[in-house]
Amino acid sequence: MSANQPVQATPTDGGGAPDARRLRSVLITVSIALMAVIASVTGLNVAQTHMAVEFGASHSTVLWIINIYTLALAALLLPLGALGDRLGRKPVLVAGLAVFGIATVVAALAPTTGVMLAARAVSGIGAAMIMPITLAVITSTFPEEQRGKAIGVWTGVAGGGGILGMFLAALLVDVADWRWLFILPVVLILVALAMTPKSVPNSRDTSAHRFDTVGALVSVIAVTGLILVLQEGPERGWTAPATLISLTVGLIAATGFVAWELHRRDASLLDVRLFRERGLSGGSLTLLVVFGVQAGIGVVLFPFFQAVLGWSGLLSTVAMMPMAVAMMTASGLAPKPAAGIGARSTMALGIALAGVGMALMALFVSASGGYLSVLPGLLAMGVGMGLSMTPSTEAITASLPREEQGVASALNDVTREFGTALGVALLGALVSAGYRNAIDDKLHGIPQGAADTAREGVANAVEAAGSTGPHAQDLLRAAHQSFVDGWQQAMWTGAAIMGALLVYIALRGPRNTPSAVADETDPAEAVSAG
């Protein structure tokens, strides 16, 4: 469907524009639903050991339990977002909440890995129905002068909610049982289900074109193949047959998707011609990089906290909270500078701050300096990512017609998922490679068996140190310093990527037109009044 020939998104609830009280209720409802989805992405990470022991499962199987949710979510976002536009956003949201809630309960009670894998896959399907609709409801409901603030809240939950969900999951695992970590998304889903019928207005696309079934199927194949590469590459190896097959299938399907969508033009699932617009291309690239960096930082930070500083999983998660809080706060505040200096300048400022944060961590991280050596960088990154995410999200949703906001929201979410997988693969690989290169020269005098184990990773080195007698402290110092060396390599690479993104946005970012928010009702008052 072309942006040049818009059709009207038809409201089906009747009545006029929602008042401030209704808008607040809408925002709270969709934020609760989104939080359930985001918390489920990261929650099981803290229970890997527990699942392996209880199910007698291999490390590979446990990773599949975690990753199959993300895979189903990412693969189905575009087609289910488009279906929400056509069938009605409210009924699709309700159906998604029901599917997600039931599947989450089944996962909590799963007696075998087979049941767990199936339940997690169905949870991902439900999440793919929920996530794009939550943002589409905001962009199709909120007046233009209040939309930026609402999107800021949404991006704050999407960006920082994963860390908050991981903290609550770690707390439940420590004080109760790992299966209790499912209680958080179930409670959130029940609350959202109770609020949605009354709070969320319905709207849908009245397009006369048939649904692009071929485009939907090809998009699922493309996203599945490319996400599998990023998930399985670090585990199986980048040149393994399965990895190369997934890459080939993903690239062929992606190319076929673009060709088919160009052929369908106004009847396409996603009008790829719109990527020529600065807002869509700049916003998508920014979210890809920012979420990649955020996810990669998590891969780097947890081994540092646990293996280098010797912290528990719960304390390590608490240590991530300052970045999450800074990110969520900055996301909510981002519409104000965007209204004053424009979206492109706000995005550039956020990207620059995030790059500075990575440079600070590269410069000052040390085992002896502990948490304080990374805290300033974490705070700078949190503020920078929050400032850049909100205008990027708004640029993407503004690039597609209002009646296609399910597709716009799904595109926004797919970009985030790709960025997350890419960041974990890239920064994780850089840290691992840097560690191995650095530790080889530091193992002289260490028993051969322990030295071989230490080369596998810093956690392995810490475990092996106990069996090396008088060499234990030397091995620990070597492992800690080698991890810091790998950390610095990854951080400098991330800072360089942010620098390249900054140049691109400065030259080709969204047009720097200040938002109408500055001249209208304060969106913070509109959203929170009641």
Side-chain angles (χ1 to χ4, degrees):
M1 189 175 302
S2 172
N4 299 322
Q5 296 178 325
V7 294
Q8 295 300 314
T10 304
T12 60
D13 287 338
D19 58 18
R21 185 186 297 271
R22 179 74 179 275
L23 291 176
R24 181 182 64 176
S25 181
V26 169
L27 186 56
I28 291 172
T29 302
V30 297
S31 295
I32 291 172
L34 176 64
M35 182 64 193
V37 170
I38 298 298
S40 294
V41 173
T42 57
L44 275 184
N45 286 328
V46 302
Q48 292 186 44
T49 303
H50 301 275
M51 288 191 293
V53 171
E54 182 160 334
F55 290 133
S58 66
H59 178 66
S60 177
T61 300
V62 171
L63 287 180
W64 262 107
I65 291 173
I66 295 171
N67 290 337
I68 197 170
Y69 172 84
T70 307
L71 182 63
L73 168 61
L76 294 171
L77 279 168
L78 269 179
L80 292 181
L83 281 175
D85 287 337
R86 288 173 173 265
L87 301 178
R89 297 179 180 112
K90 184 174 182 175
V92 171
L93 177 59
V94 171
L97 290 169
V99 170
F100 183 89
I102 293 171
T104 301
V105 171
V106 172
L109 303 174
T112 65
T113 54
V115 174
M116 176 65 84
L117 283 165
R120 289 285 288 173
V122 175
S123 294
I125 296 171
M129 299 170 71
I130 296 168
M131 195 171 183
I133 297 301
T134 58
L135 182 56
V137 166
I138 289 174
T139 55
S140 62
T141 302
F142 278 73
E144 183 178 356
E145 67 273 9
Q146 300 172 21
R147 197 174 303 146
K149 179 66 176 180
I151 290 176
V153 174
W154 188 94
T155 56
V157 174
I163 298 174
L164 180 59
M166 187 180 294
F167 163 70
L168 294 174
L171 180 62
L172 288 169
V173 168
D174 274 13
V175 302
D177 183 81
W178 71 271
R179 291 182 182 270
W180 280 93
L181 62 85
F182 291 102
I183 196 69
L184 173 64
V186 168
V187 170
L188 292 173
I189 287 297
L190 290 175
V191 173
L193 269 174
M195 296 181 67
T196 296
K198 183 178 180 180
S199 300
V200 177
N202 192 24
S203 61
R204 62 172 175 261
D205 175 14
T206 57
S207 172
H209 296 297
R210 289 187 301 172
F211 182 73
D212 184 8
T213 305
V214 173
L217 292 174
V218 175
S219 75
V220 169
I221 296 171
V223 174
T224 300
L226 295 176
I227 290 288
L228 272 176
V229 171
L230 297 173
Q231 289 183 344
E232 295 293 298
E235 182 73 13
R236 294 176 179 267
W238 296 106
T239 58
T243 305
L244 295 177
I245 291 172
S246 295
L247 178 61
T248 302
V249 170
L251 291 176
I252 292 174
T255 303
F257 176 76
V258 172
W260 176 257
E261 298 304 283
L262 288 172
H263 170 71
R264 290 273 296 186
R265 297 179 69 83
D266 293 349
S268 61
L269 182 74
L270 172 65
D271 189 350
V272 295
R273 295 171 296 175
L274 293 175
F275 278 97
R276 292 177 297 193
E277 294 187 9
R278 289 183 170 197
L280 189 59
S281 57
S284 298
L285 184 60
T286 299
L287 289 183
L288 182 78
V289 173
V290 167
F291 270 80
V293 166
Q294 180 197 11
I297 287 297
V299 171
V300 174
L301 277 174
F302 277 98
F304 178 74
F305 292 149
Q306 294 178 298
V308 177
L309 302 185
W311 290 2
S312 67
L314 180 59
L315 184 57
S316 299
T317 308
V318 171
M320 293 283 288
M321 293 302 292
M323 184 175 75
V325 172
M327 186 190 311
M328 296 176 79
T329 302
S331 294
L333 296 176
K336 292 185 177 180
I341 63 176
R344 182 172 61 190
S345 296
T346 304
M347 289 167 64
L349 175 61
I351 292 164
L353 278 174
V356 167
M358 300 196 79
L360 286 174
M361 287 194 287
L363 284 170
F364 297 116
V365 63
S366 68
S368 59
Y371 184 54
L372 292 180
S373 69
V374 300
L375 181 59
L378 283 179
L379 292 173
M381 283 193 61
V383 173
M385 289 189 288
L387 285 176
S388 60
M389 288 191 301
T390 298
S392 298
T393 298
E394 193 166 9
I396 293 173
T397 57
S399 298
L400 273 76
R402 190 158 182 166
E403 70 278 358
E404 292 186 19
Q405 286 305 296
V407 174
S409 305
L411 178 61
N412 175 80
D413 299 334
V414 169
T415 302
R416 291 167 182 264
E417 295 301 326
F418 265 117
T420 297
L422 186 61
V424 168
L426 176 61
L427 292 187
L430 286 172
V431 171
S432 296
Y435 171 84
R436 287 193 299 270
N437 292 336
I439 201 168
D440 277 338
D441 296 330
K442 297 181 176 69
L443 295 175
H444 303 297
I446 304 297
Q448 186 63 44
D452 291 340
T453 300
R455 289 186 179 93
E456 297 175 6
V458 64
N460 305 82
V462 171
E463 184 176 353
S467 62
T468 59
H471 300 288
Q473 289 304 312
D474 292 336
L475 179 54
L476 287 175
R477 278 193 296 270
H480 292 168
Q481 185 56 50
S482 298
F483 183 83
V484 168
D485 291 344
W487 167 300
Q488 291 174 317
Q489 176 178 311
M491 293 302 100
W492 282 125
T493 301
I497 292 172
M498 291 303 242
L501 176 63
L502 177 61
V503 172
Y504 177 84
I505 293 300
L507 297 176
R508 294 289 304 167
R511 300 194 182 279
N512 217 5
T513 304
S515 166
V517 175
D519 302 320
E520 302 289 345
T521 305
D522 182 0
E525 294 178 2
V527 172
S528 61

